[in-house]
Amino acid sequence: MRYRLALAPNTAKPTNEVRAVRDPSTAQAQPIRQTRPNEQLLLGRYRVMSSCGTGGFGTVLTCWDTRLQRRVAIKRMPLAIRGVYSGGAATMSEALAEARTSSMLAHPNIVTMFDFENDHDYAYLVMEYVDGIQIDDVAGLKAAGIDVRRIGERLGENYVKQIVEDGYFHADPHPGNIWVRGGKIVWLD
């Protein structure tokens, strides 16, 4: 084992505490076992749990990451093949640009981008799974004790702040891309 400086929880500030941590470069690789016989894994590691919906640029899947043992959302975008566009197909550079832009945004109210993969037909954006309530599920918001009027006000304030103060904004703000988690708005996609 190697030792490294620990960081204070939820900050980037070092503490005086030193912890033993497993150095991934010295760890023995463990084979990943499939949990079900003949199970097909997306990208060799993600078990598809459900489809969350399909939009203009692809399908969002809820998956289980068999390696890290966590739930993730994967946006599967069809790629334009040999320069031929069909439907909402994106080029590889467009898909990678979206993943790179998303990965630069670090904010608790913006979904976190974990990874980007591709095969010949699709680009895969692996993101944080948000367990929340879709912004237009008024009954669900009220049942969770959330003031829908206040959420509406904060949504408007948040969007104007994105444009005026932050210098970037969510270009596709429909109800499927705006969720409420713990009483706070989370921007997806």
Side-chain angles (χ1 to χ4, degrees):
M1 279 210 207
R2 293 189 181 181
Y3 295 90
R4 69 176 175 197
L5 190 61
L7 299 178
N10 301 322
T11 72
K13 297 178 182 175
T15 67
N16 291 329
E17 177 184 357
V18 175
R19 294 186 204 158
V21 294
R22 184 175 300 278
D23 182 348
S25 65
T26 62
Q28 291 290 329
Q30 297 295 320
I32 298 171
R33 295 185 339 190
Q34 293 181 338
T35 56
R36 298 180 181 126
N38 301 319
E39 177 180 44
Q40 295 293 317
L41 298 177
L42 184 64
L43 302 171
R45 88 184 247 195
Y46 300 103
R47 183 175 53 238
V48 177
M49 299 168 64
S50 65
S51 175
C52 298
T54 300
F57 281 100
T59 302
V60 177
L61 305 167
T62 300
C63 297
W64 183 256
D65 183 341
T66 60
R67 184 177 304 152
L68 298 178
Q69 299 293 298
R70 65 178 174 185
R71 195 167 17 174
V72 296
I74 298 180
K75 183 176 182 181
R76 183 176 61 190
M77 302 170 62
L79 294 173
I81 300 171
R82 293 180 288 283
V84 178
Y85 289 88
S86 64
T91 65
M92 178 60 71
S93 61
E94 290 170 334
L96 184 56
E98 179 176 336
R100 285 179 174 162
T101 300
S102 294
S103 70
M104 290 188 290
L105 304 173
H107 191 279
N109 296 32
I110 300 174
V111 69
T112 302
M113 180 67 57
F114 292 143
D115 201 1
F116 175 84
E117 294 287 338
N118 69 284
D119 59 23
H120 296 291
D121 300 318
Y122 294 95
Y124 302 91
L125 285 70
V126 182
M127 301 172 275
E128 163 192 16
Y129 174 81
V130 174
D131 192 15
I133 304 166
Q134 198 166 307
I135 195 84
D136 65 346
D137 181 0
V138 176
L141 293 168
K142 287 181 177 179
I146 295 170
D147 181 349
V148 292
R149 181 182 175 103
R150 182 66 188 128
I151 284 290
E153 291 168 353
R154 288 190 1 226
L155 180 62
E157 292 165 0
N158 186 269
Y159 203 71
V160 170
K161 179 185 178 299
Q162 288 178 32
I163 297 166
V164 175
E165 293 178 24
D166 300 333
Y168 63 86
F169 61 94
H170 194 294
D172 191 20
H174 62 79
N177 286 343
I178 307 168
W179 287 56
V180 178
R181 172 178 59 192
K184 297 187 188 258
I185 296 166
V186 180
W187 295 88
L188 310 179
D189 195 36

